[in-house]
Amino acid sequence: MISSFGPKIYKTKLDTIVCQELEQIILANENNIELRANKHLAGYIEKEIDILQHIQPSVLPKLTDLVFEYLNLLETGIKVYKPFHRRDIKCTASWANIQTENEYNPIHNHPTSDVVCVTFPVVDIKSKCKYLTNSNSKPGSLFFYYGDGDSLFHSNMYEVVPESGDVYIFSGSLKHSTTPIFDNDIRISTSTNFSFTEYFRIKQN
């Protein structure tokens, strides 16, 4: 069999210290209304917080390193530009989602970004789904979607069940969504967008 089509998704782990620092930054700013990013985002989540200025000193360089790992592992057409360097990409946005009962992200992508880095500083989910559904998906799951077609031959979606410290890096064009959580469960995530720089665009020519 030939391996499946679609953009590659890179899974890795955050360093424990970085994970704790991210959690502290998010919780310290969760009630700062001036940092709310809701009007720019797709989520049905009350606490969506702009954290870019807070992660720049120490956390952002670590996330950038992980993005370079992803780019340098790719074996698609982009491999002709390896190795990638810091001047090839720049961070354009970063926000945190503090998900609570019944909140979720609908299907969306990040059309103005080339690479998305999603982290999960804290995930503690014990509740079961409260809805009658024909799906076995779990609360707090992250779904990726690619292509159409007959479900008898392939699936056009892929579910991951995140745990604390998980990182997923993927193309900004890849559609994704999250399922709700329930009761007193905790799901704190961050999304950080990266775009190729003008230097990289010139390098392509």
Side-chain angles (χ1 to χ4, degrees):
M1 290 290 184
I2 298 172
S3 61
S4 61
F5 298 94
K8 300 301 181 185
I9 302 165
Y10 181 43
K11 179 185 178 183
T12 185
K13 279 283 188 181
L14 278 178
D15 179 86
T16 302
I17 294 174
V18 176
C19 214
Q20 292 172 345
E21 186 171 355
L22 259 180
E23 180 185 3
Q24 290 169 3
I25 288 170
I26 295 164
L27 295 180
N29 291 283
E30 67 172 314
N31 296 315
N32 187 340
I33 300 301
E34 293 181 358
L35 293 180
R36 291 292 165 86
N38 302 64
K39 64 182 180 181
H40 305 296
L41 304 174
Y44 292 95
I45 297 171
E46 179 185 357
K47 292 183 177 181
E48 296 180 306
I49 306 157
D50 184 341
I51 59 170
L52 180 56
Q53 61 179 322
H54 297 285
I55 68 168
Q56 283 177 336
S58 56
V59 175
L60 184 56
K62 303 292 194 311
L63 300 184
T64 304
D65 287 342
L66 295 179
V67 170
F68 281 121
E69 286 181 18
Y70 163 73
L71 291 173
N72 284 310
L73 284 169
L74 289 176
E75 290 298 328
T76 55
I78 202 170
K79 68 182 180 182
V80 299
Y81 303 109
K82 293 180 182 180
F84 290 90
H85 304 285
R86 285 195 174 271
R87 56 186 172 179
D88 288 326
I89 63 169
K90 61 181 178 182
C91 177
T92 57
S94 185
W95 63 93
N97 294 322
I98 304 178
Q99 202 171 331
T100 58
E101 186 169 7
N102 298 320
E103 294 183 335
Y104 68 99
N105 259 309
I107 299 175
H108 66 288
N109 62 7
H110 298 208
T112 61
S113 301
D114 294 302
V115 181
V116 178
C117 176
V118 174
T119 75
F120 293 90
V122 185
V123 180
D124 186 7
I125 297 174
K126 299 182 177 67
S127 301
K128 304 293 184 182
C129 182
K130 291 187 175 182
Y131 306 134
L132 292 175
T133 171
N134 66 351
S135 168
N136 292 322
S137 62
K138 297 177 174 56
S141 288
L142 171 61
F143 275 90
F144 296 99
Y145 306 86
Y146 186 76
D148 301 308
D150 189 335
S151 61
L152 291 174
F153 290 92
H154 71 92
S155 173
N156 64 355
M157 63 182 182
Y158 179 69
E159 178 184 13
V160 299
V161 181
E163 299 177 350
S164 295
D166 281 353
V167 180
Y168 292 91
I169 303 174
F170 50 93
S171 163
S173 64
L174 184 60
K175 292 182 178 180
H176 51 286
S177 70
T178 66
T179 53
I181 62 173
F182 305 98
D183 299 328
N184 296 314
D185 289 343
I186 301 170
R187 186 186 189 277
I188 299 177
S189 64
T190 73
S191 289
T192 304
N193 288 350
F194 293 84
S195 294
F196 290 119
T197 61
E198 187 62 26
Y199 172 85
F200 177 78
R201 306 290 180 190
I202 294 171
K203 191 165 72 171
Q204 287 182 290
N205 299 322

